[in-house]
Amino acid sequence: MTTKAKNILFISIAAVFLITLMVVAYVTSRIPLNDDATVGNTPGNLNNGGLYCELDGRVYFANAYDNYALYSMNSDESDIRKLNDGAFSCINAAGNYLYYSMIGETEDYDLGFIGTPYGVYRSKLNGKKAVGLDRCHIIHMQLCGNYIYYEKYDNKSAVSLEKIKINKKEKQTVIPEMILNPSCYADGKIYYNGDDKNKDHYLYALDTATDTTSLIWEGDVWNPIVQDGYVYFMDISSDYRLCRYSLYDDVVEVLTNERLDMFNIYNNYIYYQVSSPTEPALKRMLLDGSSQETVAEGVFQNINITSQYVYFNAFGELTPVYKTSTFGSVNVTTFDAAMQAAAKENK
């Protein structure tokens, strides 16, 4: 073989090798797209900080016993593992990825930003290969199909609704200078209440295919949750009592006349915090308002629900974290497994 032929062969082999490396790099770095109906977490969890998120029997949670570091466990609380340091909230999960809001100190700066990490992030389910999507302060966020919609704020532009594709492309402002909680995503729409700036608290829907809004109902709504044709909401005009509105029949049902601080829904149960100067309590009831019972007396917050447990903590106290069975008899205990896992990590 002549020298010229050898050179041509060498160049050809090198070119094929280089192209192969490029193809492999592209395929391994590509983020598989979700179905448009994919939802990252339940709206009730996200309205309560998004501290717990369940996917395929695995729960990803911000461990209050370890300064809200990211942990994972099976839904029965077995096999608890620490994934990342920092303070995590607004946890979403879909496919092979986690999406979350973060702010906190860490020694690992390989997160897409230099210095103290905060903002919107994506990582593998094991917490590895974290990528910063937008450096900003987050109030609420929801994974809607292949886009993350997030309510962000800063000292200059106040609050706005932003979105970014899960592959870190197509970042844009959807609605500037408006308080818009994107937590409730259903059937391709984000359901939300108007804000004080717009002089109403009507129920609106943002079509995520076009990012256009429409008026759904002229109620007095706060923190809507859409499920099975109903909108569950706190009725501002009637002292934040809990009601539900039928999207099909245009009928409102009062579920309780007690004043609420917050609520969460999982399947056929509603857990809600009663605001009362004399008898505050965490309670639960069925979706139609029946079978009301007290879970715990006192003032609680951060009501997050998984398929097996409801987690919450006393107002103003990060720990202890309490829990009770989601569907079984009420039996409030402390989340000792999380405390023990944190102690083991930090000994």
Side-chain angles (χ1 to χ4, degrees):
M1 182 181 293
T2 65
T3 301
K4 182 177 181 181
K6 290 180 179 179
N7 289 338
I8 293 175
L9 179 61
F10 175 77
I11 294 172
S12 299
I13 293 173
V16 170
F17 180 71
L18 180 60
I19 292 172
T20 301
L21 286 179
M22 293 174 64
V23 170
V24 170
Y26 171 75
V27 171
T28 56
S29 65
R30 186 174 63 89
I31 307 299
L33 296 183
N34 301 315
D35 183 274
D36 288 340
T38 299
V39 180
N41 200 347
T42 65
N45 280 355
L46 293 174
N47 284 337
N48 284 271
L51 303 179
Y52 293 74
C53 180
E54 186 170 353
L55 177 68
D56 298 331
R58 193 77 181 168
V59 175
Y60 303 88
F61 68 102
N63 192 343
Y65 292 99
D66 194 6
N67 299 312
Y68 290 104
L70 184 63
Y71 281 65
S72 73
M73 63 181 174
N74 293 327
S75 59
D76 64 358
E77 298 183 351
S78 63
D79 189 29
I80 297 184
R81 304 177 186 180
K82 184 173 183 177
L83 305 183
N84 272 324
D85 281 312
F88 292 76
S89 64
C90 302
I91 302 171
N92 286 246
N96 297 318
Y97 293 91
L98 297 174
Y99 307 87
Y100 45 78
S101 171
M102 179 182 177
I103 180 168
E105 298 290 345
T106 178
E107 295 180 359
D108 182 3
Y109 296 122
D110 187 23
L111 296 172
F113 299 125
I114 297 175
T116 302
Y118 67 93
V120 182
Y121 285 83
R122 182 195 73 228
S123 75
K124 303 286 279 186
L125 291 178
N126 60 6
K128 304 299 183 182
K129 297 185 178 180
V131 175
L133 303 180
D134 190 10
R135 184 161 188 165
C136 58
H137 295 290
I138 303 299
I139 304 173
H140 297 97
M141 61 177 276
Q142 174 67 280
L143 174 65
C144 306
N146 290 301
Y147 291 88
I148 302 168
Y149 283 78
Y150 51 105
E151 184 183 16
K152 81 168 190 177
Y153 72 94
D154 58 45
N155 294 329
K156 296 181 179 180
S157 59
V159 178
S160 63
L161 181 68
E162 310 284 322
K163 79 171 185 179
I164 189 168
K165 203 166 186 178
I166 59 174
N167 59 7
K168 201 178 178 180
K169 297 180 179 180
E170 301 180 32
K171 179 181 178 297
Q172 60 184 282
T173 299
V174 180
I175 301 179
E177 298 183 359
M178 181 177 177
I179 299 173
L180 197 163
N181 180 353
S183 297
C184 183
Y185 177 64
D187 303 321
K189 296 180 175 63
I190 294 173
Y191 291 86
Y192 66 96
N193 53 261
D195 62 9
D196 292 329
K197 183 178 179 180
N198 293 325
K199 309 301 182 184
D200 72 63
H201 293 95
Y202 297 160
L203 178 67
Y204 293 89
L206 173 74
D207 187 336
T208 57
T210 60
D211 283 341
T212 57
T213 62
S214 59
L215 174 64
I216 303 299
W217 175 56
E218 294 184 2
D220 212 354
V221 176
W222 188 253
N223 280 359
I225 294 178
V226 174
Q227 180 172 301
D228 298 331
Y230 286 98
V231 181
Y232 297 82
F233 67 96
M234 295 161 63
D235 185 356
I236 297 176
S237 61
S238 296
D239 201 29
Y240 291 89
R241 66 185 181 183
L242 187 63
C243 301
R244 69 176 181 178
Y245 167 73
S246 173
L247 291 169
Y248 304 123
D249 300 328
D250 193 30
V251 173
V252 176
E253 298 175 69
V254 177
L255 303 181
T256 176
N257 281 303
E258 297 169 298
R259 177 186 172 95
L260 268 62
D261 286 328
M262 63 201 70
F263 72 102
N264 196 345
I265 295 178
Y266 195 94
N267 286 355
N268 60 331
Y269 267 107
I270 303 173
Y271 285 79
Y272 58 103
Q273 174 63 39
V274 174
S275 176
S276 168
T278 57
E279 298 180 315
L282 176 64
K283 296 185 177 183
R284 75 177 184 182
M285 61 182 166
L286 296 178
L287 293 178
D288 61 1
S290 63
S291 302
Q292 297 186 13
E293 59 182 323
T294 297
V295 176
E297 296 180 349
V299 183
F300 301 96
Q301 62 181 8
N302 298 329
I303 309 166
N304 279 244
I305 309 178
T306 70
S307 60
Q308 295 202 37
Y309 294 103
V310 180
Y311 299 93
F312 54 96
N313 58 274
F315 180 79
E317 299 177 11
L318 302 184
T319 58
V321 177
Y322 299 100
K323 67 173 186 176
T324 189
S325 172
T326 300
F327 301 108
S329 301
V330 171
N331 179 30
V332 177
T333 59
T334 52
F335 188 9
D336 293 340
M339 177 178 63
Q340 293 163 3
K344 183 178 179 180
E345 288 288 340
N346 297 305
K347 67 180 179 179

